[in-house]
Amino acid sequence: MSDTSPKRLGKIPSIRRLPRYLKCLEEYDRQGREIISSTEFSKDLKWLPIVVKKDLQIVSPPTKKRTGYDVKGTIKAIERFLAWENPMPTILIGVGHFGMALLRYGKFKGVDFLASFDSDPAKEGLSVGGVSVLPMSGLEGFVRTHAVEIAVLTTPGDCAQAITDDLVRWGVKAIWNFTSKRLSVPDGVFVQREDLSAGLAELTAKIKHIQGVEETSL
Amino acid sequence: MSDTSPKRLGKIPSIRRLPRYLKCLEEYDRQGREIISSTEFSKDLKWLPIVVKKDLQIVSPPTKKRTGYDVKGTIKAIERFLAWENPMPTILIGVGHFGMALLRYGKFKGVDFLASFDSDPAKEGLSVGGVSVLPMSGLEGFVRTHAVEIAVLTTPGDCAQAITDDLVRWGVKAIWNFTSKRLSVPDGVFVQREDLSAGLAELTAKIKHIQGVEETSL
DNA sequence: TAGATTGTTAATCGATTAACAATC
DNA sequence: TAGATTGTTAATCGATTAACAATC
C-alpha cells in the first residue's frame, strides 16, 4: 500500500495502444481465427513485431508455449487489464453536440452510461443513444445511489471545476475531461483530459515543416 | 530536400503542449501583462520551469536578454511555429453529432472551415456554426478550386478510406481522422488520428491499478 | 553588487528497438 | 531436425530533469 507510486501502473504508451489490439483481435475472432502470431498481428497493425510482443506481455503473464497468441484469451486478458470486463458506472454531464456524439457512439467498452445530465430544462427527459437526460438537480442523488465511478465532462469550460468539486465530494473516482479547462482534483482521483488542439498542433506543424522548411535563419 | 527525415520536425511532445502555452499567454495578454517569467508561467501551467524553458526554445530563437518572455512576441512565435498565423483552408466531411460539435466549437486556430459535406440530402443547405453543409457531389470541385489543405473526417468508418483516397488525389495534404479506422495515405500526406478509446484505456487502467492491485499472482 | 532569469550542458529516466536464446 | 515463434536481455534512442554558467 505504501508503494502506491504513480509508476507501478505500467507503460502508458503501451496501455494507450491496447484498444487497437483489442479491436483487431475481435476482428480475428469474428473471422474464426484462434491463434495469431506477433508477426502477422504486427503486419495488420503496422507496428513492429517487437512492439506487439512487448505490449502483450504487460497484459498476460509470459508462457512457455511459443506458438502464437490465443485470440480469445488475449481479448480477455486485455479487457481484464483495462478493467473493461465489468463496465464502470458512468454518467455524462453536458448534453451538447459533443456529449450527444459520445452518447450515440455507444461503442465504448469499459464504461456503462447510466444517465446524462444537462442544465437545459428543454433537454430533460430526452433519450440520447438510449441514455436519458436528467436535470442537474438530480445529480447528487444519482451519483451517490448508483456509486458512479466515472464522469464524462462535456460542459462549457466555465462550470467544469465547480461540477468537478461536487462530483469528487460525492465519490466519483475519475473524470474524462473534454472541456478546455484544466481541472484540480485531490489525490486518488484521476482526470483524463482530451485536448483536441494538441492533435491539431501536431498536424499543422507537420504540414508546415514538411513543406517550406524556411526556418527563421537569424 | 534530401534530408526530409521525419525527425527534423522537433519534439512531438513539446509541440503538443504548445496550444496550452498559447491559451495561457492569451490570458496574460488580456490581463495586460507584457512579460512573463518561466517560473511564474510554470506555476500557472503546473509544469516544471525547465519544461517551459525547453519548450519555448523550439519556437523562438534563444536571446541574450534574460528577463522573462515577451507575452505578445511569444504568442506570435508559437503561432508562427504551428503555422496558425494563416489558418489553412479546411473542410469537414460527415456532419453528424461529432462533426457538428467540431464545427460549432469554432475556436480552433490554424484551420479555416470553408465548408462541410454530408451524404444526407436532408442536411444540404444547413449552416452549422456558420459553415454551410454541401452535398458530396460537390466535393471534388470544392477541394480543387479552394485548394483545400486539411480535411476533417467525421464520417462512419466504412467510407473513410475511400473518401481519403479521393481527397488525396485531389490535393488534400492532411487528414484529421476522427473515424475508428486507420487510414493509408501516400508519403507527404499526414493523418492525425484522434483515438478516444486510448484515453479511456488510460483512465480505466489507472483507476483499476490504484484501487485493487490484485494482480494475477501466478 | 545581488537577485532573478534564461540558456546550455550533462545526467537521468523511460520507451523503443535489436539480437538472440529458449521453446514448440 | 528445421523452421517459426515467443521471451529475455541488452542497446539505442529520445524526452525529461538537474545543475550551473551567462546575463540582465
Side-chain angles (χ1 to χ4, degrees):
Chain A
M1 279 294 163
S2 57
D3 71 327
T4 316
S5 70
K7 294 293 162 48
R8 253 204 100 300
L9 171 64
K11 302 186 291 178
I12 299 288
S14 296
I15 290 172
R16 293 181 60 93
R17 282 190 290 264
L18 291 179
R20 299 217 194 153
Y21 293 106
L22 196 52
K23 194 170 291 176
C24 201
L25 285 163
E26 284 163 348
E27 179 61 25
Y28 294 141
D29 191 36
R30 241 173 278 129
Q31 292 166 4
R33 298 212 49 167
E34 298 190 344
I35 298 290
I36 182 78
S37 73
S38 63
T39 50
E40 190 177 352
F41 207 173
S42 79
K43 261 178 218 142
D44 290 339
L45 289 162
K46 298 191 181 154
W47 291 332
L48 295 172
I50 183 68
V51 172
V52 173
K53 287 188 281 178
K54 284 281 185 190
D55 285 347
L56 292 184
Q57 278 180 22
I58 69 172
V59 300
S60 47
T63 164
K64 283 184 182 168
K65 295 173 63 182
R66 307 199 178 203
T67 162
Y69 297 92
D70 175 62
V71 171
K72 282 188 199 299
T74 308
I75 289 175
K76 276 245 164 14
I78 293 177
E79 289 182 343
R80 194 175 318 124
F81 183 89
L82 294 175
W84 284 11
E85 279 184 312
N86 302 103
M88 300 187 187
T90 304
I91 57 171
L92 180 142
I93 303 176
V95 191
H97 278 283
F98 198 84
M100 281 193 196
L102 292 181
L103 290 176
R104 294 206 191 223
Y105 178 64
K107 275 180 273 180
F108 291 117
K109 304 186 127 194
V111 297
D112 178 20
F113 282 115
L114 302 180
S116 64
F117 295 84
D118 198 286
S119 58
D120 182 358
K123 286 177 183 153
E124 199 178 321
L126 283 180
S127 172
V128 179
V131 178
S132 54
V133 184
L134 307 177
M136 292 296 283
S137 57
L139 187 56
E140 176 171 5
F142 194 96
V143 169
R144 290 195 192 274
T145 57
H146 291 84
V148 170
E149 294 196 58
I150 301 177
V152 182
L153 263 195
T154 48
T155 63
D158 328 24
C159 52
Q161 184 63 59
I163 293 175
T164 298
D165 294 342
D166 284 340
L167 291 170
V168 168
R169 203 172 322 118
W170 303 333
V172 164
K173 300 209 183 71
I175 306 224
W176 202 8
N177 178 23
F178 287 92
T179 77
S180 56
K181 289 286 196 314
R182 163 184 267 277
L183 299 174
S184 296
V185 292
D187 279 355
V189 176
F190 290 111
V191 177
Q192 178 70 29
R193 183 171 176 185
E194 301 294 339
D195 186 354
L196 297 182
S197 54
L200 182 59
E202 196 180 332
L203 186 73
T204 57
K206 279 178 182 166
I207 296 177
K208 182 193 163 199
H209 283 248
I210 200 88
Q211 295 181 336
V213 190
E214 22 91 35
E215 290 296 319
T216 53
S217 52
L218 186 86
Chain B
M1 278 296 162
S2 57
D3 71 328
T4 316
S5 69
K7 295 295 162 48
R8 253 207 99 298
L9 171 64
K11 302 185 291 178
I12 300 289
S14 297
I15 290 172
R16 292 181 61 92
R17 282 191 290 265
L18 291 179
R20 300 218 193 153
Y21 292 105
L22 196 53
K23 193 171 293 178
C24 200
L25 285 163
E26 285 164 348
E27 178 60 27
Y28 294 142
D29 191 36
R30 242 173 277 128
Q31 292 166 3
R33 297 212 49 167
E34 297 191 343
I35 298 290
I36 183 77
S37 74
S38 64
T39 50
E40 191 177 353
F41 207 172
S42 78
K43 262 177 217 144
D44 290 339
L45 289 162
K46 296 189 182 153
W47 290 333
L48 294 172
I50 183 67
V51 172
V52 174
K53 284 189 282 179
K54 284 280 185 190
D55 285 346
L56 292 183
Q57 278 180 22
I58 70 172
V59 298
S60 46
T63 164
K64 285 186 181 166
K65 293 174 65 184
R66 308 200 177 202
T67 163
Y69 297 92
D70 176 61
V71 172
K72 282 188 199 297
T74 308
I75 289 175
K76 276 246 162 22
I78 293 177
E79 289 182 343
R80 194 175 319 124
F81 183 89
L82 294 175
W84 285 11
E85 280 183 312
N86 303 103
M88 300 185 187
T90 304
I91 58 171
L92 180 142
I93 303 175
V95 191
H97 278 283
F98 198 83
M100 281 192 196
L102 292 181
L103 290 175
R104 292 206 194 223
Y105 179 65
K107 275 180 271 182
F108 291 117
K109 303 186 126 192
V111 295
D112 180 19
F113 282 115
L114 302 178
S116 64
F117 295 83
D118 198 285
S119 58
D120 180 0
K123 286 177 182 154
E124 198 179 320
L126 283 179
S127 172
V128 179
V131 178
S132 53
V133 184
L134 306 177
M136 291 296 284
S137 57
L139 187 56
E140 176 171 4
F142 195 96
V143 168
R144 291 193 190 275
T145 57
H146 291 84
V148 170
E149 296 196 55
I150 301 176
V152 182
L153 262 195
T154 48
T155 63
D158 330 23
C159 52
Q161 184 63 59
I163 294 176
T164 298
D165 293 342
D166 284 338
L167 291 169
V168 167
R169 203 173 321 120
W170 302 334
V172 164
K173 300 207 183 73
I175 307 230
W176 201 8
N177 178 22
F178 287 92
T179 78
S180 56
K181 288 286 195 316
R182 164 183 268 278
L183 299 174
S184 297
V185 293
D187 278 355
V189 175
F190 290 110
V191 176
Q192 177 70 28
R193 182 170 177 187
E194 302 292 340
D195 186 353
L196 296 182
S197 54
L200 182 59
E202 195 180 333
L203 186 73
T204 57
K206 279 178 182 166
I207 295 177
K208 182 193 164 201
H209 282 249
I210 200 88
Q211 296 181 336
V213 191
E214 22 88 39
E215 289 297 320
T216 54
S217 51
L218 188 87

